Amino acid sequence: MGRMLNRSQAWAVALLIAAFVVGAVVGAGGEAAWARHAHAADPGRGRGLERMKANLDRELGLTGVQRDSVHAVLDRHWTRMTAAWETVRPRFDSMRAQMDSDVTRQLSSEQQVRYRDHVARYRHHTEKTDSGGKTR
């Protein structure tokens, strides 16, 4: 095996990263899982990134050289993705608030309370799980 990932391995890693990002963005909580770690003291090295690295190591059976190369790629792109998220986060938060407002207008007073409770529980659970909590 060479020192660099071959084309098919690089493509597989890119697909896994893309799938992770898309999966993180989509969901009732709506906030990207990787973006939750952007507020850490060192935004490029959140627990989500470390978990992603460990998962890729295990799932792909990376060699030591591959692991170093893949981790370097992830480090570089994670920092850029985090920076990009920080530029769109205010707009995203505004859109999410508008969505919640639009939903609650369709509901009775009792349903509005239950909806807000559901959203708060879901978002708390998602943030706890995505930030390294044991809940699954």
Side-chain angles (χ1 to χ4, degrees):
M1 250 198 205
R3 288 180 112 10
M4 302 290 290
L5 292 175
N6 70 36
R7 185 175 296 221
S8 64
Q9 289 169 325
W11 184 245
V13 170
L15 285 176
L16 280 170
I17 293 167
F20 174 82
V21 171
V22 169
V25 170
V26 176
E31 187 175 342
W34 55 265
R36 290 191 183 93
H37 306 290
H39 307 291
D42 186 5
R45 312 249 184 229
R47 281 180 268 177
L49 175 59
E50 296 308 317
R51 188 169 55 237
M52 182 195 293
K53 288 177 182 178
N55 288 341
L56 289 177
D57 292 351
R58 183 179 59 254
E59 292 176 22
L60 299 178
L62 299 176
T63 67
V65 172
Q66 288 176 316
R67 184 172 44 251
D68 291 345
S69 297
V70 169
H71 288 196
V73 169
L74 293 176
D75 288 340
R76 185 175 66 249
H77 289 286
W78 192 275
T79 301
R80 291 175 51 220
M81 290 185 332
T82 299
W85 174 251
E86 289 304 316
T87 66
V88 299
R89 183 185 175 116
R91 183 167 181 233
F92 179 87
D93 287 344
S94 175
M95 290 168 39
R96 184 166 62 178
Q98 185 63 55
M99 177 187 72
D100 289 344
S101 175
D102 290 350
V103 168
T104 57
R105 277 200 300 269
Q106 309 304 313
L107 306 174
S108 69
S109 296
E110 179 186 328
Q111 288 172 320
Q112 288 176 8
V113 170
R114 291 188 347 225
Y115 174 77
R116 288 184 183 116
D117 183 55
H118 168 81
V119 167
R121 276 193 328 269
Y122 177 83
R123 290 178 184 158
H124 173 75
H125 170 79
T126 302
E127 289 172 10
K128 180 179 175 186
T129 299
D130 290 340
S131 63
K134 301 297 183 201
T135 306
R136 283 271 170 207

